[in-house]
PDB file of all heavy atoms in Angstrom:
ATOM      1  N   MET A 198     -56.347  15.577  85.497  1.00 58.00           N
ATOM      2  CA  MET A 198     -57.710  15.111  85.397  1.00 58.00           C
ATOM      3  C   MET A 198     -57.727  13.624  85.723  1.00 58.00           C
ATOM      4  O   MET A 198     -56.858  12.886  85.286  1.00 58.00           O
ATOM      5  CB  MET A 198     -58.224  15.351  83.975  1.00 58.00           C
ATOM      6  CG  MET A 198     -59.580  14.742  83.743  1.00 58.00           C
ATOM      7  SD  MET A 198     -60.297  15.206  82.165  1.00 58.00           S
ATOM      8  CE  MET A 198     -60.510  16.936  82.415  1.00 58.00           C
ATOM      9  N   ALA A 203     -62.784  11.099  83.245  1.00 80.00           N
ATOM     10  CA  ALA A 203     -62.614  11.565  81.867  1.00 80.00           C
ATOM     11  C   ALA A 203     -63.081  10.525  80.865  1.00 80.00           C
ATOM     12  O   ALA A 203     -63.803  10.838  79.914  1.00 80.00           O
ATOM     13  CB  ALA A 203     -61.147  11.926  81.618  1.00 80.00           C
ATOM     14  N   PHE A 206     -66.931  10.076  81.042  1.00 83.00           N
ATOM     15  CA  PHE A 206     -67.603  11.223  80.429  1.00 83.00           C
ATOM     16  C   PHE A 206     -67.509  11.148  78.908  1.00 83.00           C
ATOM     17  O   PHE A 206     -68.487  11.372  78.192  1.00 83.00           O
ATOM     18  CB  PHE A 206     -66.991  12.538  80.918  1.00 83.00           C
ATOM     19  CG  PHE A 206     -67.624  13.740  80.288  1.00 83.00           C
ATOM     20  CD1 PHE A 206     -68.772  14.289  80.833  1.00 83.00           C
ATOM     21  CD2 PHE A 206     -67.092  14.297  79.137  1.00 83.00           C
ATOM     22  CE1 PHE A 206     -69.379  15.383  80.230  1.00 83.00           C
ATOM     23  CE2 PHE A 206     -67.693  15.391  78.528  1.00 83.00           C
ATOM     24  CZ  PHE A 206     -68.839  15.939  79.077  1.00 83.00           C
ATOM     25  N   LEU A 207     -66.321  10.817  78.408  1.00 85.00           N
ATOM     26  CA  LEU A 207     -66.119  10.727  76.966  1.00 85.00           C
ATOM     27  C   LEU A 207     -67.034   9.680  76.345  1.00 85.00           C
ATOM     28  O   LEU A 207     -67.691   9.940  75.335  1.00 85.00           O
ATOM     29  CB  LEU A 207     -64.660  10.399  76.664  1.00 85.00           C
ATOM     30  CG  LEU A 207     -64.323  10.153  75.194  1.00 85.00           C
ATOM     31  CD1 LEU A 207     -64.564  11.408  74.366  1.00 85.00           C
ATOM     32  CD2 LEU A 207     -62.895   9.683  75.060  1.00 85.00           C
ATOM     33  N   LEU A 211     -69.966  10.527  73.646  1.00 85.00           N
ATOM     34  CA  LEU A 211     -69.942   9.956  72.298  1.00 85.00           C
ATOM     35  C   LEU A 211     -71.177   9.104  72.025  1.00 85.00           C
ATOM     36  O   LEU A 211     -71.753   9.173  70.944  1.00 85.00           O
ATOM     37  CB  LEU A 211     -68.677   9.125  72.091  1.00 85.00           C
ATOM     38  CG  LEU A 211     -67.372   9.911  72.014  1.00 85.00           C
ATOM     39  CD1 LEU A 211     -66.184   8.964  71.941  1.00 85.00           C
ATOM     40  CD2 LEU A 211     -67.369  10.866  70.840  1.00 85.00           C
ATOM     41  N   VAL A 224     -64.332   5.340  66.542  1.00 92.00           N
ATOM     42  CA  VAL A 224     -63.512   6.103  67.474  1.00 92.00           C
ATOM     43  C   VAL A 224     -62.750   5.125  68.370  1.00 92.00           C
ATOM     44  O   VAL A 224     -63.352   4.241  68.978  1.00 92.00           O
ATOM     45  CB  VAL A 224     -64.378   7.044  68.335  1.00 92.00           C
ATOM     46  CG1 VAL A 224     -63.510   7.850  69.288  1.00 92.00           C
ATOM     47  CG2 VAL A 224     -65.221   7.961  67.452  1.00 92.00           C
ATOM     48  N   SER A 238     -53.353  13.935  81.272  1.00 86.00           N
ATOM     49  CA  SER A 238     -53.477  15.309  80.784  1.00 86.00           C
ATOM     50  C   SER A 238     -54.498  15.398  79.659  1.00 86.00           C
ATOM     51  O   SER A 238     -55.090  16.452  79.438  1.00 86.00           O
ATOM     52  CB  SER A 238     -52.126  15.845  80.320  1.00 86.00           C
ATOM     53  OG  SER A 238     -51.611  15.020  79.298  1.00 86.00           O
ATOM     54  N   ASP A 239     -54.679  14.292  78.922  1.00 89.00           N
ATOM     55  CA  ASP A 239     -55.676  14.264  77.853  1.00 89.00           C
ATOM     56  C   ASP A 239     -55.958  12.813  77.483  1.00 89.00           C
ATOM     57  O   ASP A 239     -55.338  11.901  78.004  1.00 89.00           O
ATOM     58  CB  ASP A 239     -55.213  15.050  76.620  1.00 89.00           C
ATOM     59  CG  ASP A 239     -53.953  14.475  75.986  1.00 89.00           C
ATOM     60  OD1 ASP A 239     -53.558  13.332  76.298  1.00 89.00           O
ATOM     61  OD2 ASP A 239     -53.345  15.165  75.153  1.00 89.00           O
ATOM     62  N   ILE A 240     -56.923  12.622  76.608  1.00 90.00           N
ATOM     63  CA  ILE A 240     -57.233  11.287  76.085  1.00 90.00           C
ATOM     64  C   ILE A 240     -56.897  11.296  74.607  1.00 90.00           C
ATOM     65  O   ILE A 240     -57.373  12.155  73.858  1.00 90.00           O
ATOM     66  CB  ILE A 240     -58.710  10.917  76.301  1.00 90.00           C
ATOM     67  CG1 ILE A 240     -59.026  10.842  77.792  1.00 90.00           C
ATOM     68  CG2 ILE A 240     -59.032   9.587  75.620  1.00 90.00           C
ATOM     69  CD1 ILE A 240     -60.481  10.539  78.108  1.00 90.00           C
ATOM     70  N   ASP A 241     -56.062  10.347  74.214  1.00 93.00           N
ATOM     71  CA  ASP A 241     -55.693  10.210  72.803  1.00 93.00           C
ATOM     72  C   ASP A 241     -56.773   9.418  72.082  1.00 93.00           C
ATOM     73  O   ASP A 241     -57.125   8.319  72.512  1.00 93.00           O
ATOM     74  CB  ASP A 241     -54.355   9.474  72.681  1.00 93.00           C
ATOM     75  CG  ASP A 241     -53.230  10.232  73.339  1.00 93.00           C
ATOM     76  OD1 ASP A 241     -53.010  11.388  72.949  1.00 93.00           O
ATOM     77  OD2 ASP A 241     -52.575   9.680  74.239  1.00 93.00           O
ATOM     78  N   LEU A 242     -57.283   9.992  71.000  1.00 95.00           N
ATOM     79  CA  LEU A 242     -58.300   9.327  70.195  1.00 95.00           C
ATOM     80  C   LEU A 242     -57.851   9.231  68.752  1.00 95.00           C
ATOM     81  O   LEU A 242     -57.149  10.113  68.251  1.00 95.00           O
ATOM     82  CB  LEU A 242     -59.622  10.108  70.219  1.00 95.00           C
ATOM     83  CG  LEU A 242     -60.371  10.212  71.534  1.00 95.00           C
ATOM     84  CD1 LEU A 242     -61.652  11.030  71.334  1.00 95.00           C
ATOM     85  CD2 LEU A 242     -60.690   8.854  72.101  1.00 95.00           C
ATOM     86  N   LYS A 256     -65.694  16.691  63.823  1.00 93.00           N
ATOM     87  CA  LYS A 256     -64.683  17.546  64.469  1.00 93.00           C
ATOM     88  C   LYS A 256     -65.342  18.566  65.391  1.00 93.00           C
ATOM     89  O   LYS A 256     -64.856  18.821  66.499  1.00 93.00           O
ATOM     90  CB  LYS A 256     -63.818  18.245  63.420  1.00 93.00           C
ATOM     91  CG  LYS A 256     -62.816  17.317  62.763  1.00 93.00           C
ATOM     92  CD  LYS A 256     -61.961  18.056  61.747  1.00 93.00           C
ATOM     93  CE  LYS A 256     -60.940  17.119  61.127  1.00 93.00           C
ATOM     94  NZ  LYS A 256     -60.044  17.796  60.198  1.00 93.00           N
ATOM     95  N   GLN A 258     -68.190  18.242  66.965  1.00 90.00           N
ATOM     96  CA  GLN A 258     -68.688  17.529  68.143  1.00 90.00           C
ATOM     97  C   GLN A 258     -67.548  17.186  69.102  1.00 90.00           C
ATOM     98  O   GLN A 258     -67.685  17.339  70.317  1.00 90.00           O
ATOM     99  CB  GLN A 258     -69.429  16.254  67.718  1.00 90.00           C
ATOM    100  CG  GLN A 258     -70.641  16.505  66.856  1.00 90.00           C
ATOM    101  CD  GLN A 258     -71.688  17.323  67.565  1.00 90.00           C
ATOM    102  OE1 GLN A 258     -71.964  17.132  68.733  1.00 90.00           O
ATOM    103  NE2 GLN A 258     -72.300  18.259  66.852  1.00 90.00           N
ATOM    104  N   LEU A 259     -66.430  16.715  68.568  1.00 93.00           N
ATOM    105  CA  LEU A 259     -65.293  16.386  69.428  1.00 93.00           C
ATOM    106  C   LEU A 259     -64.674  17.642  70.037  1.00 93.00           C
ATOM    107  O   LEU A 259     -64.200  17.607  71.176  1.00 93.00           O
ATOM    108  CB  LEU A 259     -64.259  15.568  68.652  1.00 93.00           C
ATOM    109  CG  LEU A 259     -64.696  14.140  68.312  1.00 93.00           C
ATOM    110  CD1 LEU A 259     -63.662  13.456  67.431  1.00 93.00           C
ATOM    111  CD2 LEU A 259     -64.963  13.329  69.566  1.00 93.00           C
ATOM    112  N   ASP A 260     -64.698  18.756  69.322  1.00 93.00           N
ATOM    113  CA  ASP A 260     -64.218  20.024  69.882  1.00 93.00           C
ATOM    114  C   ASP A 260     -65.069  20.430  71.085  1.00 93.00           C
ATOM    115  O   ASP A 260     -64.547  20.950  72.079  1.00 93.00           O
ATOM    116  CB  ASP A 260     -64.241  21.137  68.837  1.00 93.00           C
ATOM    117  CG  ASP A 260     -63.117  21.024  67.828  1.00 93.00           C
ATOM    118  OD1 ASP A 260     -62.151  20.260  68.076  1.00 93.00           O
ATOM    119  OD2 ASP A 260     -63.198  21.695  66.783  1.00 93.00           O
ATOM    120  N   ALA A 261     -66.376  20.186  71.021  1.00 91.00           N
ATOM    121  CA  ALA A 261     -67.262  20.506  72.140  1.00 91.00           C
ATOM    122  C   ALA A 261     -66.928  19.635  73.352  1.00 91.00           C
ATOM    123  O   ALA A 261     -66.886  20.127  74.489  1.00 91.00           O
ATOM    124  CB  ALA A 261     -68.722  20.321  71.727  1.00 91.00           C
ATOM    125  N   ILE A 262     -66.669  18.353  73.128  1.00 91.00           N
ATOM    126  CA  ILE A 262     -66.284  17.452  74.222  1.00 91.00           C
ATOM    127  C   ILE A 262     -64.933  17.872  74.796  1.00 91.00           C
ATOM    128  O   ILE A 262     -64.715  17.827  76.005  1.00 91.00           O
ATOM    129  CB  ILE A 262     -66.254  15.990  73.731  1.00 91.00           C
ATOM    130  CG1 ILE A 262     -67.667  15.540  73.333  1.00 91.00           C
ATOM    131  CG2 ILE A 262     -65.666  15.063  74.791  1.00 91.00           C
ATOM    132  CD1 ILE A 262     -67.716  14.208  72.600  1.00 91.00           C
ATOM    133  N   ASP A 263     -64.037  18.323  73.925  1.00 92.00           N
ATOM    134  CA  ASP A 263     -62.689  18.743  74.325  1.00 92.00           C
ATOM    135  C   ASP A 263     -62.723  19.899  75.318  1.00 92.00           C
ATOM    136  O   ASP A 263     -61.784  20.089  76.073  1.00 92.00           O
ATOM    137  CB  ASP A 263     -61.891  19.121  73.068  1.00 92.00           C
ATOM    138  CG  ASP A 263     -60.440  19.471  73.361  1.00 92.00           C
ATOM    139  OD1 ASP A 263     -59.797  18.715  74.115  1.00 92.00           O
ATOM    140  OD2 ASP A 263     -59.962  20.487  72.830  1.00 92.00           O
ATOM    141  N   ARG A 264     -63.789  20.643  75.351  1.00 91.00           N
ATOM    142  CA  ARG A 264     -63.897  21.752  76.311  1.00 91.00           C
ATOM    143  C   ARG A 264     -64.067  21.238  77.735  1.00 91.00           C
ATOM    144  O   ARG A 264     -63.786  21.944  78.692  1.00 91.00           O
ATOM    145  CB  ARG A 264     -65.065  22.660  75.940  1.00 91.00           C
ATOM    146  CG  ARG A 264     -64.817  23.406  74.650  1.00 91.00           C
ATOM    147  CD  ARG A 264     -65.938  24.380  74.336  1.00 91.00           C
ATOM    148  NE  ARG A 264     -65.804  24.810  72.968  1.00 91.00           N
ATOM    149  CZ  ARG A 264     -66.708  24.600  72.024  1.00 91.00           C
ATOM    150  NH1 ARG A 264     -67.841  23.989  72.308  1.00 91.00           N
ATOM    151  NH2 ARG A 264     -66.498  25.014  70.801  1.00 91.00           N
ATOM    152  N   VAL A 265     -64.555  20.000  77.880  1.00 89.00           N
ATOM    153  CA  VAL A 265     -64.760  19.407  79.202  1.00 89.00           C
ATOM    154  C   VAL A 265     -63.647  18.410  79.526  1.00 89.00           C
ATOM    155  O   VAL A 265     -63.110  18.407  80.619  1.00 89.00           O
ATOM    156  CB  VAL A 265     -66.132  18.699  79.276  1.00 89.00           C
ATOM    157  CG1 VAL A 265     -66.333  18.035  80.631  1.00 89.00           C
ATOM    158  CG2 VAL A 265     -67.257  19.671  78.973  1.00 89.00           C
ATOM    159  N   VAL A 266     -63.344  17.543  78.548  1.00 89.00           N
ATOM    160  CA  VAL A 266     -62.297  16.533  78.702  1.00 89.00           C
ATOM    161  C   VAL A 266     -61.266  16.774  77.605  1.00 89.00           C
ATOM    162  O   VAL A 266     -61.591  16.647  76.426  1.00 89.00           O
ATOM    163  CB  VAL A 266     -62.886  15.111  78.567  1.00 89.00           C
ATOM    164  CG1 VAL A 266     -61.784  14.071  78.592  1.00 89.00           C
ATOM    165  CG2 VAL A 266     -63.896  14.836  79.660  1.00 89.00           C
ATOM    166  N   PRO A 267     -60.047  17.145  77.964  1.00 92.00           N
ATOM    167  CA  PRO A 267     -59.031  17.411  76.934  1.00 92.00           C
ATOM    168  C   PRO A 267     -58.776  16.181  76.062  1.00 92.00           C
ATOM    169  O   PRO A 267     -58.540  15.084  76.560  1.00 92.00           O
ATOM    170  CB  PRO A 267     -57.782  17.761  77.745  1.00 92.00           C
ATOM    171  CG  PRO A 267     -58.277  18.155  79.090  1.00 92.00           C
ATOM    172  CD  PRO A 267     -59.524  17.362  79.314  1.00 92.00           C
ATOM    173  N   LEU A 268     -58.860  16.394  74.753  1.00 94.00           N
ATOM    174  CA  LEU A 268     -58.661  15.322  73.788  1.00 94.00           C
ATOM    175  C   LEU A 268     -57.486  15.658  72.873  1.00 94.00           C
ATOM    176  O   LEU A 268     -57.259  16.818  72.557  1.00 94.00           O
ATOM    177  CB  LEU A 268     -59.913  15.140  72.918  1.00 94.00           C
ATOM    178  CG  LEU A 268     -61.224  14.838  73.628  1.00 94.00           C
ATOM    179  CD1 LEU A 268     -62.370  14.803  72.615  1.00 94.00           C
ATOM    180  CD2 LEU A 268     -61.137  13.534  74.401  1.00 94.00           C
ATOM    181  N   ASP A 269     -56.794  14.628  72.432  1.00 95.00           N
ATOM    182  CA  ASP A 269     -55.783  14.753  71.388  1.00 95.00           C
ATOM    183  C   ASP A 269     -56.258  13.808  70.287  1.00 95.00           C
ATOM    184  O   ASP A 269     -56.112  12.591  70.403  1.00 95.00           O
ATOM    185  CB  ASP A 269     -54.411  14.357  71.918  1.00 95.00           C
ATOM    186  CG  ASP A 269     -53.313  14.537  70.886  1.00 95.00           C
ATOM    187  OD1 ASP A 269     -53.591  15.079  69.791  1.00 95.00           O
ATOM    188  OD2 ASP A 269     -52.170  14.133  71.159  1.00 95.00           O
ATOM    189  N   VAL A 270     -56.853  14.377  69.248  1.00 96.00           N
ATOM    190  CA  VAL A 270     -57.535  13.568  68.235  1.00 96.00           C
ATOM    191  C   VAL A 270     -56.715  13.500  66.950  1.00 96.00           C
ATOM    192  O   VAL A 270     -56.252  14.510  66.444  1.00 96.00           O
ATOM    193  CB  VAL A 270     -58.938  14.131  67.914  1.00 96.00           C
ATOM    194  CG1 VAL A 270     -59.676  13.214  66.954  1.00 96.00           C
ATOM    195  CG2 VAL A 270     -59.747  14.331  69.192  1.00 96.00           C
ATOM    196  N   THR A 271     -56.563  12.283  66.440  1.00 96.00           N
ATOM    197  CA  THR A 271     -55.931  12.024  65.156  1.00 96.00           C
ATOM    198  C   THR A 271     -57.011  11.485  64.234  1.00 96.00           C
ATOM    199  O   THR A 271     -57.830  10.658  64.655  1.00 96.00           O
ATOM    200  CB  THR A 271     -54.800  10.980  65.311  1.00 96.00           C
ATOM    201  OG1 THR A 271     -53.855  11.477  66.247  1.00 96.00           O
ATOM    202  CG2 THR A 271     -54.122  10.701  63.981  1.00 96.00           C
ATOM    203  N   TYR A 272     -57.027  11.944  62.997  1.00 96.00           N
ATOM    204  CA  TYR A 272     -58.011  11.500  62.016  1.00 96.00           C
ATOM    205  C   TYR A 272     -57.303  10.764  60.887  1.00 96.00           C
ATOM    206  O   TYR A 272     -56.292  11.249  60.377  1.00 96.00           O
ATOM    207  CB  TYR A 272     -58.765  12.691  61.433  1.00 96.00           C
ATOM    208  CG  TYR A 272     -59.553  13.460  62.466  1.00 96.00           C
ATOM    209  CD1 TYR A 272     -58.981  14.504  63.179  1.00 96.00           C
ATOM    210  CD2 TYR A 272     -60.878  13.127  62.737  1.00 96.00           C
ATOM    211  CE1 TYR A 272     -59.698  15.204  64.137  1.00 96.00           C
ATOM    212  CE2 TYR A 272     -61.605  13.827  63.687  1.00 96.00           C
ATOM    213  CZ  TYR A 272     -61.010  14.857  64.379  1.00 96.00           C
ATOM    214  OH  TYR A 272     -61.725  15.544  65.326  1.00 96.00           O
ATOM    215  N   ILE A 292     -63.796   2.491  71.340  1.00 85.00           N
ATOM    216  CA  ILE A 292     -64.373   3.074  72.547  1.00 85.00           C
ATOM    217  C   ILE A 292     -65.826   2.639  72.777  1.00 85.00           C
ATOM    218  O   ILE A 292     -66.306   2.664  73.894  1.00 85.00           O
ATOM    219  CB  ILE A 292     -64.224   4.611  72.503  1.00 85.00           C
ATOM    220  CG1 ILE A 292     -64.250   5.169  73.896  1.00 85.00           C
ATOM    221  CG2 ILE A 292     -65.244   5.237  71.616  1.00 85.00           C
ATOM    222  CD1 ILE A 292     -63.697   6.542  74.004  1.00 85.00           C
TER     223      ILE A 292
END
Side-chain angles (χ1 to χ4, degrees):
M198 173 172 295
F206 178 86
L207 175 63
L211 290 175
V224 181
S238 59
D239 62 14
I240 297 178
D241 298 303
L242 294 180
K256 286 181 178 183
Q258 299 298 319
L259 290 175
D260 285 345
I262 295 169
D263 184 46
R264 292 184 194 118
V265 178
V266 175
L268 302 175
D269 183 6
V270 185
T271 302
Y272 298 89
I292 204 162

